[in-house]
Amino acid sequence: MAKSVIAKAVGLGINFIDTAAVYGRGRSEEFVGRAIRELGIREQVFVATKIPGDWHRFDDVLKAARRSKERLGLDVIDLLQLHWPACWHNVPICETMRAMERLVDDGVIRYIGVSNYPLQLLQTARECLKRSDIVSSQNRYNLIEREVEKELLPYLRREGITLIAWSPLAKGAVTSKYSPDNRPRGDLRENDPLFHPDNLREISSKLIPVIKELSAKYGKSPAQIALNWLVMHDNVVPIPGAKSPEQVVENAGATGWRLSDEDFRRLENVSNSLSITYVTW
Ligand SMILES: NC(=O)c1ccc[n+]([C@@H]2O[C@H](COP(=O)([O-])OP(=O)(O)OC[C@H]3O[C@@H](n4cnc5c(N)ncnc54)[C@H](OP(=O)(O)O)[C@@H]3O)[C@@H](O)[C@H]2O)c1
């Protein structure tokens, strides 16, 4: 399936592939690497991966990057991201960034990115770098979860750092498939706060009706409406996850057209009216 999803994506002109060491404990990187080799598409894709916050000591960063590169089977990792801060490991941020810069100098990686870093830590991380800079920040951003707009996104825009939006479909919550009576089963979403009945009730009673109305108006699917709203933001690149080639085709169809400014604002207003809580127990 990974190979057919990637083949379909590249055929449609999608060239950015995002994976991480922790996805399936290395298996996702292996699948991506194998697909790229078997399809012969190395020159057409930009491959990003991530190393977890538990491996941010100097030597661990070098070791983790080497292992990711091997699993991916690449000449060079295009973008290496620090997946989340070294929360409880107490590694000074400059130690980690020195290792990242070493990887650029040694030709193991091309660019440095961070993910889930608060603004102040991102700023400090940049100050640690002498010869390189951080080119991207990967954060959760979708029609329901918009905290990045408060301080991070304005800073990234000013500094020319790309925001890579993860879970741009709110893990499927904005696609109109789910409701309090029809929650996802058999995967991590069962315990995800966004899919708690209270939150799903809020989403399906306020946001989904507007998405469905716009879906009918533009002749686009709910997923395409939600993704188009995101790509209309300067400096934001969404990375929707796809479980099938059909979903890839649909998600690629979120570009090449635009919601009107009025409809864009309508989505924003209904999104502002949502009352979502992560305190679910
Ligand atoms: N940096 C981080 O900490 C972090 C964290 C999470 C994710 N990510 C990255 O972000 C990517 C996307 O995130 P995500 O997969 O969590 O969330 P997402 O893109 O918001 O949602 C993906 C899910 O939505 C459903 N879907 C996708 N396309 C659809 C379509 N066209 N119509 C209807 N449903 C559709 C699929 O699930 P169903 O069909 O089963 O509903 C799919 O698994 C990941 O692949 C990963 O690379 C990064």
Side-chain angles (χ1 to χ4, degrees), residues 187-255:
D187 60 38
L188 290 171
R189 291 177 293 187
E190 273 184 33
N191 292 318
D192 190 311
L194 215 48
F195 293 87
H196 186 277
D198 290 348
N199 287 331
L200 274 184
R201 195 167 299 113
E202 187 74 7
I203 294 162
S204 45
S205 66
K206 293 181 181 168
L207 179 62
I208 297 300
V210 177
I211 291 182
K212 279 186 170 166
E213 202 188 306
L214 295 178
S215 173
K217 175 175 172 182
Y218 288 85
K220 303 288 179 188
S221 72
Q224 290 173 331
I225 297 290
L227 289 174
N228 192 266
W229 175 84
L230 262 185
V231 293
M232 281 181 74
H233 292 76
D234 284 347
N235 217 42
V236 174
V237 177
I239 47 168
K243 290 214 174 87
S244 64
E246 292 72 33
Q247 287 186 345
V248 173
V249 175
E250 196 176 317
N251 296 341
T255 59

Side-chain angles (χ1 to χ4, degrees), residues 78-171:
D78 295 315
L79 173 67
L80 185 65
Q81 304 154 102
L82 297 164
H83 203 155
W84 62 81
C87 303
W88 40 84
H89 290 277
N90 308 306
V91 183
I93 184 68
C94 284
E95 175 178 331
T96 308
M97 299 319 292
R98 268 196 297 114
M100 294 296 273
E101 198 150 53
R102 168 74 70 83
L103 290 168
V104 176
D105 292 343
D106 291 351
V108 179
I109 69 173
R110 291 175 64 204
Y111 296 107
I112 300 172
V114 293
S115 177
N116 305 313
Y117 273 47
L119 174 60
Q120 292 73 14
L121 190 57
L122 165 59
Q123 287 173 315
T124 309
R126 291 184 74 197
E127 285 164 14
C128 302
L129 293 168
K130 295 194 167 54
R131 299 172 298 285
S132 323
D133 199 355
I134 288 169
V135 301
S136 63
S137 173
Q138 188 174 140
N139 302 83
R140 187 175 63 196
Y141 190 24
N142 56 60
L143 254 174
I144 303 170
E145 298 165 296
R146 296 169 49 201
E147 277 69 27
V148 290
E149 292 176 4
K150 291 177 182 164
E151 58 177 13
L152 192 59
L153 183 53
Y155 170 84
L156 297 176
R157 280 200 184 121
R158 275 199 309 277
E159 297 294 315
I161 298 172
T162 302
L163 174 73
I164 301 173
W166 66 258
S167 288
L169 294 169
K171 302 184 181 127

